[in-house]
Amino acid sequence: MEKIVIGRFAKLTIDFMFKKVFASEEDKELLIALLNIFLAEVLACPVEDVLIKNPYIQGQTLGSRDSVLDIHCVDANRRKFIVEMQVAPQKHFIKRAAYYSCMSIANSGPKGGDWDFNFPNTYSLNFLDFNAYFGEKCDEIVQCISPSNRKHPEVRYDYFEQVFVILPRFEKKVEECRSLHDQLLFSLRHTHELERKPEHFSDKLFDKLFNVAEISKLTPMEYNEYLSRFMYRCDQKNQLDYAKEEGIEIGEARSDAKGMEKVFALWESGMSLDEAKLHLGCCN
């Protein structure tokens, strides 16, 4: 069960704090660094500036679903970026990320007149606070998904990129974090456990990050919002842990029941109970 401990800094995987730190016009450098570092493998050129857009995307028709993104922005090259922090495990999250990208793309179409469908490149950057399966040997922290030619996989199409950062796979200790990449990963995972900014996190970005994440700097309304989201997250985690424990106990009980059924069947065939248990033990 997750401990309910409020320290000096906020937990950055809580969506409210994630957006406060990385979706601020005053501190856009943090968002730009996040995009450049974790999209480095798929960007043709670095992001220099961004315009943070309304995260609400209205459905195209009356019956269509609307979407509310964590962060939605565009850069000077018209490239679109969607940034999401996902805490709770979700079976179809990759499809969900694709759906959000498609809504952003559909929203690019101009109203009326001719359009050649040359929509801006769209990048979906997703931070997962749970272990997700991407394939038998796909064990890297950062996973990149984009359209390619099945018969010629070297041919890729860069107009639609999905990047997933699996935070629990990052296990470095603070003293091992020397690159901006590692320091940002460590901050996302452990800022709420620290009493001060690590001294070797010397880039000015971390001065901003730890300043915004300091709980004492929140307004009373912001603190109440953070606390309610934090408590909700703890409740979710505890419920999930309890469900797993119950599932294991039920599974073990069912397994024991089946085992006893086999023992009694052998006993009825003429074996003693000890002989039946020994026989099943040898078979297993």
Side-chain angles (χ1 to χ4, degrees):
M1 297 175 65
E2 186 164 343
K3 293 181 180 179
I4 302 176
V5 178
I6 305 295
R8 179 181 175 185
F9 300 106
K11 189 177 179 69
L12 298 186
T13 52
I14 302 295
D15 58 352
F16 169 76
M17 283 307 303
F18 182 77
K19 287 183 278 190
K20 181 171 176 60
V21 171
F22 293 104
S24 164
E25 280 289 344
E26 294 78 17
D27 298 310
K28 285 194 297 187
E29 297 95 329
L30 288 168
L31 176 57
I32 293 168
L34 205 71
L35 296 174
N36 283 328
I37 288 170
F38 292 104
L39 295 177
E41 292 184 47
V42 299
L43 289 176
C45 60
V47 177
E48 295 183 1
D49 194 12
V50 292
L51 173 65
I52 298 175
K53 299 170 64 68
N54 187 339
Y56 172 77
I57 300 180
Q58 187 173 11
Q60 296 294 301
T61 64
L62 186 63
S64 299
R65 289 181 64 91
D66 299 341
S67 293
V68 180
L69 312 175
D70 283 347
I71 303 173
H72 192 202
C73 61
V74 61
D75 77 347
N77 294 316
R78 295 179 60 245
R79 298 178 296 187
K80 286 191 170 185
F81 302 91
I82 297 168
V83 186
E84 289 286 308
M85 171 61 73
Q86 180 65 23
V87 172
Q90 193 173 92
K91 183 177 180 181
H92 300 297
F93 185 76
I94 295 176
K95 288 185 177 181
R96 174 181 162 182
Y99 179 80
Y100 283 170
S101 294
C102 289
M103 286 201 71
S104 179
I105 290 168
N107 210 38
S108 302
K111 305 291 184 183
D114 295 329
W115 184 45
D116 61 0
F117 292 91
N118 185 25
F119 59 83
N121 284 14
T122 301
Y123 301 85
S124 173
L125 175 58
N126 306 276
F127 294 89
L128 310 184
D129 197 23
F130 58 92
N131 277 302
Y133 180 77
F134 285 85
E136 193 64 36
K137 296 182 180 179
C138 300
D139 55 0
E140 299 88 354
I141 294 170
V142 180
Q143 301 289 328
C144 303
I145 299 175
S146 62
S148 64
N149 187 323
R150 184 178 289 274
K151 292 185 177 180
H152 299 277
E154 73 279 1
V155 179
R156 292 175 56 255
Y157 305 93
D158 64 356
Y159 49 76
F160 178 70
E161 301 274 3
Q162 290 182 281
V163 174
F164 299 87
V165 183
I166 302 94
L167 295 176
R169 293 184 181 177
F170 182 78
E171 298 178 342
K172 287 186 179 181
K173 298 178 181 179
V174 63
E175 60 270 14
E176 299 175 304
C177 299
R178 295 296 169 182
S179 66
L180 280 177
H181 176 276
D182 287 353
Q183 290 173 357
L184 270 173
L185 280 174
F186 185 90
S187 298
L188 286 169
R189 289 211 68 193
H190 301 294
T191 291
H192 63 290
E193 300 169 358
L194 303 176
E195 283 302 317
R196 62 182 62 84
K197 177 179 75 72
E199 290 185 6
H200 64 286
F201 285 31
S202 55
D203 193 284
K204 65 179 182 179
L205 289 170
F206 293 102
D207 292 334
K208 290 179 177 289
L209 187 151
F210 280 84
N211 182 62
V212 179
E214 190 164 353
I215 290 177
S216 64
K217 304 288 180 65
L218 300 178
T219 67
M221 187 176 295
E222 288 175 332
Y223 178 75
N224 287 335
E225 178 72 12
Y226 169 71
L227 191 60
S228 66
R229 300 292 182 92
F230 183 81
M231 295 292 289
Y232 176 72
R233 167 59 186 147
C234 289
D235 286 344
Q236 274 190 322
K237 179 72 165 52
N238 292 338
Q239 289 169 11
L240 183 61
D241 289 344
Y242 177 73
K244 287 179 179 178
E245 290 173 6
E246 285 291 293
I248 291 170
E249 288 179 7
I250 290 170
E252 289 176 346
R254 286 177 178 170
S255 177
D256 289 344
K258 288 180 181 179
M260 289 308 296
E261 286 176 6
K262 292 178 182 178
V263 167
F264 283 118
L266 291 171
W267 175 68
E268 288 177 349
S269 70
M271 283 189 186
S272 70
L273 286 177
D274 288 339
E275 288 174 335
K277 291 178 182 177
L278 181 61
H279 177 76
L280 285 176
C282 291
C283 291
N284 293 334

